[in-house]
Amino acid sequence: MELTKTDLLELLENECSKSFGCSLKEASKKQAYKTLCAVVRDILSKKRKSFKEEIYAKERKQVYYMSMEFLVGTSLRNNLFNLKLESKFASVLKGLGFDIQELYDMEPDAGLGNGGLGRLASCYMDSMTNMALPGTGFSIRYEFGIFRQKIVDGWQMEFPDDWLSMGDVWLRPREDEAFEVKFGGNVASYEENGRLCFRHENYNSVMAVPYDMFISGYGSRAVNKLVLWSAKSPSKNSIDLRYFVRGEHLKALEQNTMAEVISKVLYPADDHIEGKRLRLKQQYLLVSASLQSIISLHLKKYGNIQSLPDKVAIHINDTHPALCVPELMRILLDEYSLSWDEAWDITCRTLSYTNHTVMSEALERWNEGLFRELLPRVYQIVCEINRRLVEGLFAKYPGDVAKIDYMAAISGGEVKMANLCLAACHKINGVSKLHSEILKDSLFHDYYAITPERFTNVTNGIAYRRWLCQSNPALTKLLRELIGDGFMKDSMALEDLLRYSGDKAVIDALAAVKRVNKERLASYISGANGINVNPDSLFDVQIKRLHEYKRQLLNALQIIRMYLRIKENPNLDIPPRTFIFAAKASSGYFMAKQIIRLICSIAETVNADPVVREKIKVVFLEDYKVSLAEIIIPAAEISEQISIAGKEASGTGNMKLMINGAVTLGTLDGANVEIHEQVGDENMFLFGLHADEVEALWRRGYDPHSYVRRNAELNEVLRTLKTGVFGSNFDDIYNSLLSNAYGTADAYMALADFEDYARTQDRVSATYRDAYTFGNMSLVNIAKAGIFSSDRAVGEYAKNIWYMK
Ligand code: 26Q
């Protein structure tokens, strides 16, 4: 039954009086926000109950999505939109004196992720729910999510993100359903009924307490949940009496804080990996608690463990939860007394794995000693998996020690997590066509050669109802007028917009929408950075994590080129442009922080120059996060996707920008290749080396100097890094491009692609002058973006990987 406004009013008043002992008329804004969230959560909770009963009765297969990250962002508007209750609640609240937008603005982002991989996990939860697939996400309830970024004199500073004070409204703790997770200690063996058994002894226990967050789907009967584990000390009163009675009071509390530190903070790195003990503890907490929970639910319903792969699919989101492989084996062997072969068969058929990166720095390996010390029984199992793996490989490739070493789960004193997944999972996929080919051809080639049937591709997708319908209401309204609202359920219906290709009135209407969104972003920029940008200028956007392979530096070098050209010719006739950046750098990533400093310095010089600033402006927005992306993306006209070809696994920002009408300026990397397939040369600005050319150039020997010698303009640009044109010197950046002692200068080939990039940027300027040509490119991009819906992606996972009905 449908909720009326009277119902909503009653629900709100009851909740407010229950929680705050007052009526909404007397409530503060904060109280009203918490009241509203609690009411929405209760509505979802009721729906959840009936959906749960339905899937239970139908014995439907369940998918569990294991991820160290879910970049949820905000939930209130999303939930109201999905429940189709937004306007009713808005009007009821208005009657009580509250503006719903102001309540939305109070919600902090749940920033439980770094970037693409984490946001993808959240988009997939949304889509599973839209499609009424029974899916549960498992992750960690980090007390502090991704750090808040401030820029001080061009330097990135990191501050803790205390999101729970206002964000915990969505979390429902289930204290009494905690699971014990064991660390350290030793393993004793004994014999029982002729079987060799193992007992984990002298371990330290940590309790994993689940917190549920409900996930709503658009006009869907389903409500799924995200389960976040929080680490708690097992001792009842949080004091270890063994120490307390000896008078060691501090030590008695230490164990407690040691346990709870596990879920304190998200690791803010998405590039190079430090083998930190705490990170391994986090991974095991997630894996062990989740598997215990999954298996106990399964047994309660089905009564036998053998049916696990038929009723349960467990997905490993990159290698971070790869401990699923040995931990599931451990549970099956030690707790259910299965034979090795039986346990292995169940494990392989239940698990699947997605790879999200080909960067070798990001391939997870753990020091064997650390691994053994922290997880002694799991380590034994990894050793046995490895022994059997290597034995099999030896039979296949007798004497090919290098190959076997490369494929082993343990080698060179390290446990290699990707190889554990490759050895076990029944399906392995990349996240774009190009990326999946690269996995087969190079990174995972040796595994592909033995079992090609396990390898597949699922090109990423986005929850476009959030990224288009909710964050760009003006465009959504226009689209509904033009093509009806079929696209809100089926993204492929966006193609109907092609009917209006070349239609000047429609292109004008799209431009008017873009203009509204640009004004909104301009006002945000003026508030945040104190910079006034011209809403009639071209908004050129590069928003993503800061990494050398993503080449924000290439963008910056081109801006320097434009700056020098304007200085040389103050009458240079180009359409005004605003370059907008937002990016967080890993806290320990020195070069990334230098690049932020360079961009900020360019911004200062450019924006202060009375002549230059009439033609170009540069803005670095601090603290990039989901809710900021939702403001920038609708206003973007050019989407910079300029990674060195072969390194960006997919990219998903490119899809969000595309569906909002931005035109891609990019290399043939990741999903850009498939965007190109959709829109063609004429609706995209492509440049740069292709992935195979990059490879070939590496093999030939890459010499960045040769490009500088050939291109006087590039030489001038690079000189500014040394001569202090932008306030100070950027020797470290200069050296990274030209004089790295180890022959790895300019490892991401910014200089090789510079000339083509600059020429293409000029083409962008020329095209932008013709509003109809550019506007029509934008139209085609919106129309062709439907394929990049996460509904499509999740549908492919469900069918080809999780084997769900
Ligand atoms: C691992 C160990 C220790 C500390 C940190 C990490 C870690 C954390 C996050 C390693 C990698 C990540 C994140 C990777 C990521 O976001 N990859 C992106 O995934 C997107 C979704 O598939 C792709 O679109 C992007 O191309 C890819 O870069």
Side-chain angles (χ1 to χ4, degrees), residues 46-59 301:
K46 289 214 179 69
K47 271 188 89 167
R48 167 75 191 163
K49 185 164 172 283
S50 62
F51 183 60
K52 213 167 90 176
E53 285 160 6
E54 175 196 322
I55 55 185
Y56 193 86
K58 293 187 180 158
E59 303 198 339
K301 172 143 179 66

Side-chain angles (χ1 to χ4, degrees), residues 69 116-117 269-270 273 279 320 356 364 460 549 648-651:
E69 309 193 0
L117 164 148
D270 68 345
I273 284 159
R279 170 82 180 179
H320 319 152
H356 295 267
E364 272 192 302
N460 282 168
Y549 85 80
E648 189 68 273
S650 162

Side-chain angles (χ1 to χ4, degrees), residues 260-458:
E260 289 173 12
V261 84
I262 295 178
S263 52
K264 268 280 181 265
V265 58
L266 168 83
Y267 272 84
D270 68 345
D271 33 69
H272 61 282
I273 284 159
E274 283 174 83
K276 287 270 168 60
R277 201 184 158 80
L278 184 59
R279 170 82 180 179
L280 188 57
K281 282 192 174 181
Q282 291 185 334
Q283 295 185 348
Y284 189 61
L285 184 90
L286 164 64
V287 163
S288 181
S290 306
L291 290 180
Q292 290 182 62
S293 160
I294 291 167
I295 289 175
S296 88
L297 275 175
H298 177 81
L299 282 177
K300 219 154 77 195
K301 172 143 179 66
Y302 298 102
N304 72 82
I305 198 75
Q306 280 71 19
S307 58
L308 191 74
D310 302 321
K311 293 296 173 192
V312 163
I314 300 175
H315 200 79
I316 302 177
N317 197 28
D318 216 294
T319 54
H320 319 152
L323 288 169
C324 277
V325 175
E327 176 68 2
L328 184 51
M329 285 298 288
R330 184 191 68 77
I331 295 174
L332 298 176
L333 292 168
D334 294 359
E335 292 174 22
Y336 297 95
S337 306
L338 265 53
S339 70
W340 182 276
D341 289 341
E342 228 182 336
W344 185 247
D345 174 67
I346 291 176
T347 299
C348 297
R349 287 197 291 130
T350 306
L351 300 179
S352 50
Y353 155 60
T354 300
N355 169 279
H356 295 267
T357 181
V358 297
M359 307 279 293
S360 55
E361 313 92 280
L363 283 182
E364 272 192 302
R365 306 145 179 274
W366 289 102
N367 174 278
E368 206 179 337
L370 168 70
F371 195 104
R372 180 177 42 206
E373 184 210 314
L374 207 58
L375 308 170
R377 177 60 185 142
V378 173
Y379 173 72
Q380 287 183 334
I381 291 168
V382 172
C383 288
E384 181 60 16
I385 292 173
N386 188 53
R387 194 189 65 75
R388 290 168 183 250
L389 172 68
V390 168
E391 196 175 74
L393 292 172
F394 216 86
K396 265 205 187 68
Y397 306 110
D400 194 344
V401 180
K403 192 194 281 283
I404 294 168
D405 194 61
Y406 183 79
M407 296 175 77
I410 303 179
S411 86
E414 290 180 321
V415 180
K416 291 152 75 182
M417 305 310 268
N419 286 350
L420 263 181
C421 294
L422 289 164
C425 293
H426 73 278
K427 278 281 152 83
I428 295 135
N429 76 286
V431 291
S432 71
K433 282 186 193 166
L434 174 67
H435 170 59
S436 295
E437 287 307 310
I438 292 174
L439 292 183
K440 293 194 287 185
D441 291 347
S442 44
L443 198 64
F444 298 159
H445 174 75
D446 293 333
Y447 274 99
Y448 175 66
I450 345 181
T451 50
E453 70 286 353
R454 290 194 299 154
F455 287 76
T456 184
N457 170 247
V458 182

